[in-house]
Amino acid sequence: MELYRLERFEPGFNIDSAMVLEQHSYIFKNEIALHYHDFYEITLVEEGSSIHCINDRFIPISRGQLTFIRPADRHCYMSYRSESYTMFNIRMSERDYFAIRDFLKGQTSALEEPPMPVSVRVSETTLALLAAKMRALNEISASKKRGAMVRTLLCEAFY
């Protein structure tokens, strides 16, 4: 499998303009290419199942899986048993991640240490809440208010 490097954020990117990507397996023809990047990501599987190929391991993920991906983690997603999946993805620059970590008084620093990214299954209630907020964010234009909502959502996801 060939490894790709995703480009940096576009010029002027900041958390006030961060988009929540809603990804569907059919859009990526059942596979997102193996890649790495210089930003952080949080992904949340809303429906279905997938295989997260990360740092040379193959990890099944499914509904309710919340994963924190760090810069330089090598990863991709592949369909699992031809199942479709819907996943949300929020990207944040290192600067924005460190600002949130500082706001949370360093409580997220444990996410940076393990050799594999931290991944947890959230409750159905939390899944519904986070998914609704992620969808709603894309309906608000870039602004300080939107940035505050993204930061709040990220803080909730980290907890």
Side-chain angles (χ1 to χ4, degrees):
M1 200 177 266
E2 192 171 345
L3 178 66
Y4 294 91
R5 180 184 185 283
L6 293 182
E7 294 300 317
R8 293 183 66 91
F9 286 115
E10 60 276 4
F13 174 88
N14 63 53
I15 201 104
D16 299 337
S17 60
M19 295 300 290
V20 176
L21 304 177
E22 186 173 343
Q23 302 172 331
H24 302 276
S25 56
Y26 63 84
I27 293 173
F28 297 101
K29 296 183 175 67
N30 297 329
E31 185 172 326
I32 299 173
L34 185 64
H35 64 278
Y36 68 101
H37 35 68
D38 57 0
F39 50 84
Y40 291 85
E41 286 181 288
I42 290 182
T43 62
L44 176 65
V45 179
E46 181 183 35
E47 291 293 336
S49 298
S50 179
I51 297 290
H52 194 189
C53 307
I54 188 150
N55 298 339
D56 301 322
R57 293 191 56 201
F58 295 87
I59 300 171
I61 58 174
S62 58
R63 181 176 171 82
Q65 198 75 36
L66 181 71
T67 305
F68 178 67
I69 302 164
R70 305 151 305 181
D73 281 330
R74 301 169 321 279
H75 71 121
C76 68
Y77 299 93
M78 298 169 61
S79 290
Y80 179 66
R81 297 182 182 171
S82 300
E83 252 188 74
S84 62
Y85 61 90
T86 301
M87 174 173 48
F88 294 102
N89 177 305
I90 301 177
R91 299 173 181 175
M92 66 197 112
S93 68
E94 282 190 334
R95 182 189 72 240
D96 290 327
Y97 168 71
F98 289 126
I100 290 168
R101 186 181 73 178
D102 290 346
F103 174 76
L104 295 173
K105 304 209 182 304
Q107 292 180 22
T108 64
S109 60
L111 298 172
E112 301 162 24
E113 298 168 6
M116 292 298 290
V118 174
S119 187
V120 298
R121 184 159 324 278
V122 299
S123 69
E124 285 294 317
T125 303
T126 301
L127 172 62
L129 178 73
L130 291 174
K133 287 183 178 186
M134 288 179 179
R135 277 202 176 86
L137 276 171
N138 284 341
E139 297 175 14
I140 301 169
S141 59
S143 65
K144 295 288 184 193
K145 177 183 177 184
R146 187 177 189 286
M149 293 172 70
V150 172
R151 286 177 185 86
T152 301
L153 174 63
L154 289 169
C155 288
E156 288 177 34
F158 284 130
Y159 274 111

